[in-house]
Amino acid sequence: MYKPEEHNVICTVCPIGCRLTVIREEHEPDGYKVIGGVCKRGEKFGVKEVTNPTRTVTSTVAIEGGLLPRLPVRTEKDIPKHLNYELMKLINQVKLQAPVKIGEVVVANVFDTGVNVIATRSMRAVK
Amino acid sequence: MQHYEVVIVGGGPAGLAAAIEARKNGAQSVVVLERDRELGGILQQCIHHGFGLVVFNEELTGPEYAERFIDELMELGIEYRLETMVLEVNADKTIRAISPSDGMIEIQAKAIVLNMGCRERTRGAIAIPGFRPAGVFSAGTAQRFVNMEGYMVGKRVVILGSGDIGLIMARRMALEGAKVLAVAEIMPYSGGLTRNIVQCLHDYDIPLYLSHTITEVRGKERVEGVTIAEVDENRKPMTGTEKHYDCDTLLLSVGLIPENELSRGAGIQLDPVTGGPIVNEAMETSVPGIFASGNVVHVHDLVDWVTEESRRAGAYAARYVQNKLVEDASVIASRPGDGIGYVVPHKVRPENLNDKLAIFMRVKEVFHDAKLVVKADGEVVYSRKKRHMAPGEMEIVQIDAQKLKDLKPAELLVSVEGGETVHV
Ligand SMILES: Cc1cc2nc3c(=O)[nH]c(=O)nc-3n(C[C@H](O)[C@H](O)[C@H](O)COP(=O)(O)OP(=O)(O)OC[C@H]3O[C@@H](n4cnc5c(N)ncnc54)[C@H](O)[C@@H]3O)c2cc1C
Ligand code: SF4
């Protein structure tokens, strides 16, 4: 028996957390039908979550000469979720020197996604 | 003795917003006293994103959110002192503090805003049998170690408590290469946001066990393992449901308690439910001229509401200093009714309101399709249908101030009506 591709997804756009079912359907504009959500935002989220799930990654990098030994960073925008661990490997090799300004690019264009990793705080140099 | 108009105790997001707003509302001399090496409070260790959607309409990380306020504080030239620990606040608005550079300081303030935040509940507060080996951390302490000091606390981790801090730390540890074996939650529902369950647990294949608790911690010097078991409806572990884990680290995320030693010392009345001061519409405590806002009053899940509340506290403190706060006004008691755990503020003097009264509250259980209703001496002044309410998510109700000025009720009662309670 033919069974269309189906995914269970929890919508994380707002705190209600609707449980969505995303079903493959050729003639839908996005190729999928989304049921179980309360609003349109959930439909968009559901399709994206099964076709190209993305996340913002936040972490820290090593820094010398500042108040603290670690500097918090994040991806400027979401990146594909499957790159999370690769990204961690990449940024764990970074070592910065204080001072650093908030928003400064720490690693440019990671894995050719067009997304930069940026500093999320300023850290001035201390002796 | 030094003199200031407004003294802010604590330089976290609450203290920063209160200081800025006090200055903008005409207070001439304002000083922030912070015991830490820098401003920003707990936000400096919350490197994850999810802050600022209400205040800035963007998703910021904790440090980014803090830096915006720190910058504004500097631009306004507001004085602040770091590594300055406040030891004593008195009802006559004198303050004693100590710092390595200035030694003991005494300050006479005209108004004080308390913004000391929360501390974490510790293992003592939850009583787990077993030794007290190394490797047991509160989740917030671990967060500070990992995110600010760069010290990884362990390799194989079990987490007790599924509030947001526990969930955030589960992801953080997993990303840093630790194996997070399980999150155990004694309640039948998680105290954290759905979004955090998905992005912190599901994304990293970390199992969440609801209605489970830790029954044993093994190891004498260092944690060697823990046992978790399912609990019955009276939260008693059931024999035969035990699961054993070999791990080197146990993180406890079992709640926060407002930090109110200083408030008690000043003779400020506390609410036994929130653990924080009883406050009025001005965020003024039971001692006139001493205000409080942020996590010291009640635990907030969103820093945006900390900011909103603290801006009010700062603005009213400035008004108090200028003798513009009506003190001997009629007082409305605001109270939690059915389904509501607590409300803040506890008292309202309508004469002092601007255009709206904001009431913050928490429901006691998870409700679906229920109504949140506010009655002024029995008359409905607010009613809204809610798809979803949960104890982990603070609810905010805005009431038209003019209505209260006209009605002059003795009581405002907030309750949940209809709907179904949900047990997941
Ligand atoms: C681990 C964690 C994760 C969180 N995640 C989120 C999130 O994802 N999104 C979100 O919106 N919110 C989040 N929050 C909530 C938000 O961070 C807090 O609500 C907010 O930081 C509270 O601000 P505050 O100023 O009241 O307290 P705090 O930030 O705790 O600041 C209190 C300050 O007072 C100082 N202080 C205390 N006592 C004294 C004294 N005696 N003398 C001098 N100084 C003193 C402390 O050093 C501290 O700097 C999180 C909170 C925690 C703990
Ligand atoms: S579908 Fe809409 S209502 Fe449901 S969780 Fe997503 S955004 Fe919220």
Side-chain angles (χ1 to χ4, degrees):
Chain A
M1 201 183 85
Y2 169 73
K3 193 160 181 310
E5 171 197 337
E6 201 180 291
H7 307 266
N8 293 316
V9 168
I10 299 174
C11 180
T12 55
V13 176
C14 89
I16 293 177
C18 291
R19 284 173 166 74
L20 310 174
T21 309
V22 184
I23 306 163
R24 180 93 182 116
E25 228 162 74
E26 298 296 342
H27 43 266
E28 287 287 322
D30 319 315
Y32 288 89
K33 190 172 82 180
V34 181
I35 54 177
V38 168
C39 74
K40 284 269 171 230
R41 289 184 299 167
E43 290 180 19
K44 233 178 107 187
F45 175 84
V47 175
K48 181 140 174 289
E49 193 64 4
V50 304
T51 51
N52 176 30
T54 61
R55 299 287 186 265
T56 293
V57 180
T58 61
S59 187
T60 62
V61 298
I63 183 165
E64 278 181 343
L67 177 70
L68 302 168
R70 305 296 297 185
L71 181 85
V73 299
R74 70 171 164 101
T75 54
E76 215 167 358
K77 296 193 198 94
D78 280 11
I79 59 164
K81 185 173 123 181
H82 66 90
L83 291 174
N84 282 7
Y85 279 110
E86 292 301 309
L87 182 76
M88 286 299 290
K89 274 189 217 150
L90 184 70
I91 61 181
N92 279 344
Q93 291 161 16
V94 173
K95 188 157 221 162
L96 299 178
Q97 194 64 42
V100 170
K101 278 296 281 178
I102 190 168
E104 220 169 85
V105 174
V106 172
V107 187
N109 184 21
V110 286
F111 309 115
D112 283 328
T113 52
V115 177
N116 299 325
V117 172
I118 58 169
T120 56
R121 66 165 284 174
S122 304
M123 202 173 293
R124 63 195 159 72
V126 291
K127 297 137 259 159
Chain B
M1 185 78 83
Q2 306 174 19
H3 292 263
Y4 285 92
E5 280 186 345
V6 181
V7 176
I8 311 277
V9 183
L16 293 169
I20 290 166
E21 222 53 26
R23 165 58 53 84
K24 284 185 178 169
N25 282 272
Q28 297 303 321
S29 59
V30 179
V31 67
V32 180
L33 308 179
E34 167 58 53
R35 68 178 171 199
D36 209 339
R37 305 167 282 192
E38 56 178 347
L39 297 170
I42 202 92
L43 289 181
Q44 298 290 14
Q45 69 185 61
C46 299
I47 62 160
H48 59 281
H49 70 303
F51 302 80
L53 271 170
V54 181
V55 170
F56 295 114
N57 204 10
E58 329 172 31
E59 276 205 61
L60 303 171
T61 62
E64 288 171 308
Y65 190 93
E67 197 157 325
R68 293 201 180 181
F69 287 90
I70 296 170
D71 285 349
E72 192 174 358
L73 189 93
M74 307 276 182
E75 275 158 31
L76 291 169
I78 297 172
E79 198 181 324
Y80 63 94
R81 299 198 194 163
L82 301 177
E83 296 186 274
T84 304
M85 171 91 181
V86 175
L87 304 172
E88 203 178 295
V89 172
N90 298 302
D92 63 2
K93 282 168 291 220
T94 53
I95 289 175
R96 277 188 342 124
I98 190 160
S99 87
S101 53
D102 301 334
M104 194 66 84
I105 314 162
E106 286 193 57
I107 300 177
Q108 173 73 61
K110 286 189 177 151
I112 297 171
V113 191
L114 302 176
N115 298 110
M116 290 87 75
C118 275
R119 76 184 129 77
E120 291 182 282
R121 264 181 232 277
T122 51
R123 182 168 170 183
I126 49 158
I128 303 170
F131 290 101
R132 320 247 120 178
V136 182
F137 298 90
S138 69
T141 304
Q143 188 179 44
R144 195 182 170 95
F145 276 142
V146 176
N147 292 345
M148 297 179 72
E149 316 292 344
Y151 167 69
M152 241 330 242
V153 292
K155 290 202 177 76
R156 292 175 63 83
V157 186
V158 171
I159 299 178
L160 176 64
S162 67
D164 287 313
I165 309 176
L167 301 178
I168 297 282
M169 276 314 285
R171 169 176 64 189
R172 187 73 192 112
M173 298 293 287
L175 264 179
E176 287 293 351
K179 176 83 188 150
V180 183
L181 300 159
V183 177
E185 166 62 57
I186 196 163
M187 300 302 282
Y189 52 84
S190 161
L193 299 173
T194 318
R195 164 194 170 127
N196 285 338
I197 295 183
V198 173
Q199 297 192 354
C200 301
L201 300 187
H202 297 183
D203 276 6
Y204 296 90
D205 296 320
I206 299 167
L208 168 63
Y209 297 105
L210 298 174
S211 300
H212 275 71
T213 193
I214 305 241
T215 53
E216 195 198 356
V217 179
R218 290 187 302 281
K220 271 191 180 170
E221 303 296 322
R222 172 89 198 188
V223 175
E224 285 164 12
V226 301
T227 303
I228 72 173
E230 194 171 345
V231 296
D232 61 19
E233 56 275 22
N234 302 316
R235 297 194 215 161
K236 290 272 171 297
M238 298 189 281
T239 41
T241 63
E242 295 87 355
K243 290 192 228 338
H244 302 286
Y245 294 95
D246 292 332
C247 62
D248 55 24
T249 304
L250 171 63
L251 297 189
L252 304 175
S253 172
V254 288
L256 302 168
I257 321 171
E259 178 102 72
N260 276 293
E261 275 63 42
L262 293 177
S263 320
R264 266 187 223 105
I268 288 167
Q269 271 175 30
L270 302 182
D271 174 342
V273 180
T274 56
I278 289 176
V279 291
N280 62 26
E281 78 296 332
M283 298 309 293
E284 187 183 22
T285 67
S286 61
V287 176
I290 303 188
F291 299 75
S293 63
N295 272 0
V296 78
V297 177
H298 56 131
V299 178
H300 292 64
D301 28 46
L302 282 183
V303 72
D304 297 77
W305 298 121
V306 170
T307 299
E308 200 278 337
E309 186 178 280
S310 305
R311 283 177 171 161
R312 252 187 294 137
Y316 279 114
R319 268 209 231 176
Y320 175 88
V321 167
Q322 298 159 65
N323 293 318
K324 287 188 198 149
L325 198 59
V326 186
E327 290 281 342
D328 54 345
S330 62
V331 177
I332 308 170
S334 95
R335 288 204 310 113
D338 287 344
I340 303 288
Y342 73 78
V343 297
V344 167
H346 308 72
K347 294 174 186 170
V348 181
R349 299 167 301 188
E351 283 86 346
N352 290 319
L353 292 174
N354 299 327
D355 51 337
K356 293 263 195 238
L357 166 69
I359 307 180
F360 290 6
M361 69 201 69
R362 274 180 202 277
V363 294
K364 281 187 189 157
E365 286 171 277
V366 180
F367 292 98
H368 276 181
D369 297 315
K371 262 197 297 196
L372 198 53
V373 180
V374 184
K375 288 185 181 148
D377 290 346
E379 185 177 326
V380 176
V381 289
Y382 176 97
S383 170
R384 186 156 299 167
K385 200 152 177 206
K386 293 275 183 177
R387 263 271 303 155
H388 171 95
M389 289 187 283
E393 291 151 31
M394 200 169 73
E395 294 290 333
I396 294 108
V397 156
Q398 305 258 12
I399 297 172
D400 188 21
Q402 197 53 48
K403 239 185 226 170
L404 298 178
K405 288 178 189 167
D406 295 343
L407 285 171
K408 295 203 172 57
E411 182 188 83
L412 279 176
L413 187 69
V414 187
S415 35
V416 180
E417 290 182 6
E420 38 173 326
T421 57
V422 187
H423 297 279
V424 235

